[in-house]
Amino acid sequence: MSTLTHFDAHGQAHMVDVAAKSATHRIAIAQGRIDMLPGTLALIESGTAKKGDVLGIARIAGIQGAKRTSDLIPLCHPIALTRVAMDFSTAVATPTASAYVLCTATAETVGPTGVEMEALTAVQVALLTIYDMCKAADRGMTITDVKLLEKHGGKSGSFVAG
């Protein structure tokens, strides 16, 4: 197992020094979903939610979340993002699954450190925004399955979830 990089030789938390790392094109893709009642999904898809365009606002919130990651996660480096893309898809309820919105975030940079945390933060903030905008209709929504799907670039190379 790899050692944890955010601890020094004395076990103290520290920000990893990336000064000697090469600037490379880095991409990360993360995904998560929010389960909800079918009626809540119908409000989102029809555009008649009380607070407005739920997925449009969630898209902007996710992008803003990616940009603010280093403000939220104490040991993350502030990085210059070159691109953040948010995609949403929906599925209606079936006998074995609830209705849901699936959110995918892609974050990119050219720099000495990766963008996994930015992609994961974008997904979480977008899903929290959906919850906030729809909670009057459905307080039982559940955010679930948030994960890194892919990461490319840097010394460690590529990762694709199995």
Side-chain angles (χ1 to χ4, degrees):
M1 185 188 328
S2 299
T3 60
L4 298 176
T5 58
H6 285 86
F7 295 95
D8 65 18
H10 306 291
Q12 301 296 312
H14 72 106
M15 183 181 255
V16 175
D17 182 359
V18 297
K21 293 174 88 178
S22 299
T24 61
H25 182 225
R26 297 163 186 264
I27 301 170
I29 303 169
Q31 188 175 76
R33 70 185 230 182
I34 184 166
D35 294 339
M36 61 193 62
L37 296 171
T40 307
L41 181 60
L43 285 172
I44 291 170
E45 292 180 323
S46 70
T48 58
K50 202 171 189 179
K51 292 186 178 182
D53 176 10
V54 174
L55 297 183
I57 300 296
R59 176 173 285 106
I60 299 301
I63 293 167
Q64 188 65 26
K67 291 166 49 176
R68 302 287 306 257
T69 299
S70 66
D71 292 335
L72 300 169
I73 311 297
L75 300 177
C76 276
H77 292 84
I79 62 172
L81 292 167
T82 57
R83 177 174 173 256
V84 177
M86 304 296 299
D87 293 306
F88 299 94
S89 61
T90 60
V92 295
T94 66
T96 59
S98 62
Y100 63 87
V101 174
L102 185 69
C103 174
T104 306
T106 302
E108 295 186 43
T109 192
V110 175
T113 191
V115 289
E116 298 96 304
M117 295 306 298
E118 287 73 14
L120 287 162
T121 300
V123 167
Q124 290 282 36
V125 171
L127 294 175
L128 286 167
T129 299
I130 293 169
Y131 185 95
D132 180 54
M133 293 187 73
C134 298
K135 67 183 179 236
D138 183 359
R139 292 200 188 271
M141 291 176 284
T142 304
I143 294 172
T144 187
D145 297 333
V146 176
K147 60 189 168 193
L148 181 68
L149 295 178
E150 297 181 34
K151 163 261 187 257
H152 304 282
K155 182 179 167 186
S156 63
S158 293
F159 165 82
V160 178

